[in-house]
Amino acid sequence: MTMPADLETDAARLRETMVKALAEDGVLPDPAWRAAVETVPRHRFVPGFYLPADKRDGQGLTVWEPVTSELDHGRWLTATYSDTTLITQFDGDEPDWKQPPLRHGGAPTSSSTLPSLVVRMWTDADIHGGHAVLEIGSGTGYSTALACERLGSADLTSIEVDARRLETAATALHSLGYTPTLAVADGRYGYWPEAPFDRIVAACSFRAVPPALLAQTRPGGKILLTLSGWLYGYARVLLTVREDGTAEGPLLSGTVSFMAARAHAAPAFGNPAHWAAGVSETARASRHTPDRITAPTDEAFHLRFLAQCAVPDAQMTTVGQTVHLVDVVTGSAATLTPSGNCWEVREGGPIKLWERIENILSAYDTAGRPGPETFRLQVREDRQHLRHPQMPMLPLPKH
């Protein structure tokens, strides 16, 4: 199937509709960023992507349907100009968009982030003309193009760990006249050849703030990144770097998640039944139910990050009705099983994983359930701590 002749006309119409919807939602208060979204053709950056099917397969896995112009032009173009994240890669494998296969399950490793979040990240970073900017995670290049359109290409550096992804992004960027500095590099180490930077913005998440980013930021400069971990708790932080190389800043409100930097992804932990065999036979009633950190609410989203700080090496999975916590570093484990009106807890290993989470949940309740914006992250050379005046200090994992 050939590309329809009126593609650019249809794309411009759908882009205008998307921009109006974003503006009505309050996403585009800055006229300059609105103009960038109005101008950049997102379809040039996503020749193909995957969308989830309505039903899972027989094993309960998400079925991912490939979407390209050749397969279904209308669906491809409509999805491209929706405020949706478009998955472009799973498990580090670059698809052949001429013959993309149907996928069952898999871990997304690259995407075109939803436009509202892209603009939100650039806006929250407080970027102005003349700032030297480092973007970590070029992805498809769409976010990079918006920044080039808004700020110009000269002072923008964008790095991507996946060479094939960057090659595709570079082709799309250059075809539209955008010429930022591009490089294949690991975001944990920034990009020294173009340092120092006034702003660093990461489109992937980290377990802790990489020290190299502080070293590459000018005093008074800012770093905006997403913190994540093996419980899949997330928080965004905006740090200001000081003259002495330390940094501090608040968590930002809202529920935002980004794919983890590949070196920070959670490790495989094996069979939950093997871990459960090592917990105590003696059970106790839990002080808090697991839905405090798993419910689809903004508060649970925030609490999962706080819980993750208390047990940074723990992972969680549910088998049947039993919730398993496992820690591949210390060998600790815990199970939570519903029993009547409560949950029974069994723990084993050197760390009582659920008890640590319970303590954080209790402290959070006692403090009046403070929101993310009331917490501040302090970053020193030897430690990184999340602080709140009415709660225990929470350390981030060693970077």
Side-chain angles (χ1 to χ4, degrees):
M1 178 178 177
T2 58
M3 202 75 75
D6 56 353
L7 168 61
E8 297 302 330
T9 300
D10 290 344
R13 174 178 52 81
L14 290 171
R15 188 160 62 248
E16 181 181 1
T17 300
M18 181 184 74
V19 168
K20 288 181 179 178
L22 293 176
E24 289 173 358
D25 290 340
V27 175
L28 300 171
D30 184 336
W33 282 113
R34 175 168 179 160
V37 180
E38 289 173 334
T39 302
V40 175
R42 192 186 188 197
H43 65 279
R44 298 282 290 272
F45 295 90
V46 284
F49 47 84
Y50 282 91
L51 294 177
D54 293 334
K55 295 182 180 180
R56 293 176 177 265
D57 68 11
Q59 295 181 308
L61 298 174
T62 300
V63 177
W64 293 96
E65 299 175 339
V67 181
T68 67
S69 178
E70 287 74 19
L71 291 172
D72 188 335
H73 179 78
R75 187 185 187 195
W76 168 73
L77 196 57
T78 299
T80 296
Y81 287 106
S82 64
D83 192 31
T84 305
T85 291
L86 305 173
I87 306 300
T88 54
Q89 187 192 79
F90 289 88
D91 303 317
D93 296 327
E94 191 69 12
D96 177 3
W97 291 115
K98 294 181 180 179
Q99 293 181 313
L102 191 74
R103 295 195 59 105
H104 293 255
T109 48
S110 189
S111 67
S112 176
T113 303
L114 65 162
S116 63
L117 178 52
V118 172
V119 174
R120 181 177 169 191
M121 291 290 287
W122 287 125
T123 301
D124 286 346
D126 189 29
I127 296 173
H128 302 287
H131 278 161
V133 179
L134 172 65
E135 177 189 37
I136 298 174
S138 311
T140 65
Y142 174 67
S143 173
T144 314
L146 289 178
C148 289
E149 184 65 34
R150 169 67 175 83
L151 305 166
S153 301
D155 296 319
L156 179 64
T157 299
S158 185
I159 61 174
E160 168 62 48
V161 73
D162 188 319
R164 294 166 301 175
R165 284 277 82 213
L166 188 64
E167 181 180 4
T168 301
T171 299
L173 287 163
H174 294 160
S175 72
L176 293 168
Y178 301 124
T179 58
T181 298
L182 302 173
V184 176
D186 188 327
R188 293 176 299 165
Y189 305 105
Y191 197 61
W192 280 106
E194 296 296 321
F197 300 101
D198 298 292
R199 298 290 187 271
I200 295 179
V201 178
C204 59
S205 62
F206 299 94
R207 297 184 74 205
V209 182
L213 303 189
L214 272 67
Q216 293 176 31
T217 304
R218 288 191 177 95
K222 297 182 180 182
I223 302 171
L224 177 66
L225 52 75
T226 301
L227 300 170
S228 65
W230 296 348
L231 284 183
Y232 298 101
Y234 297 89
R236 287 195 311 151
V237 64
L238 181 61
L239 297 167
T240 299
V241 177
R242 301 188 178 111
E243 290 280 354
D244 62 2
T246 64
E248 183 174 346
L251 299 189
L252 303 182
S253 60
T255 56
V256 170
S257 59
F258 276 105
M259 296 172 192
R262 297 189 185 185
H264 284 196
F269 58 78
N271 188 335
H274 298 165
W275 291 86
V279 303
S280 172
E281 294 183 2
T282 303
R284 64 173 177 83
S286 176
R287 287 180 280 150
H288 297 278
T289 59
D291 67 335
R292 290 292 304 275
I293 62 172
T294 60
T297 64
D298 288 357
E299 183 179 61
F301 187 94
H302 172 46
L303 279 175
R304 185 183 287 233
F305 178 74
L306 299 183
Q308 182 177 272
C309 292
V311 287
D313 299 319
Q315 297 182 68
M316 181 169 58
T317 189
T318 301
V319 180
Q321 291 187 303
T322 301
V323 177
H324 296 259
L325 286 165
V326 300
D327 182 336
V328 300
V329 176
T330 67
S332 303
T335 61
L336 289 91
T337 308
S339 177
N341 295 324
C342 70
W343 286 75
E344 290 187 344
V345 183
R346 293 175 174 83
E347 297 180 289
I351 296 175
K352 295 187 181 300
L353 299 174
W354 187 248
E355 182 177 309
R356 284 196 178 184
I357 292 176
E358 287 177 311
N359 291 339
I360 290 300
L361 296 177
S362 293
Y364 171 81
D365 291 342
T366 299
R369 300 189 171 188
E373 63 282 353
T374 65
F375 290 80
R376 295 186 69 81
L377 180 65
Q378 295 182 338
V379 181
R380 304 288 188 270
E381 182 178 355
D382 59 340
R383 66 187 187 279
Q384 301 183 20
H385 288 99
L386 191 64
R387 293 180 177 271
H388 185 278
Q390 296 173 288
M391 288 189 62
M393 184 172 60
L394 292 169
L396 267 58
K398 293 292 184 180
H399 40 71

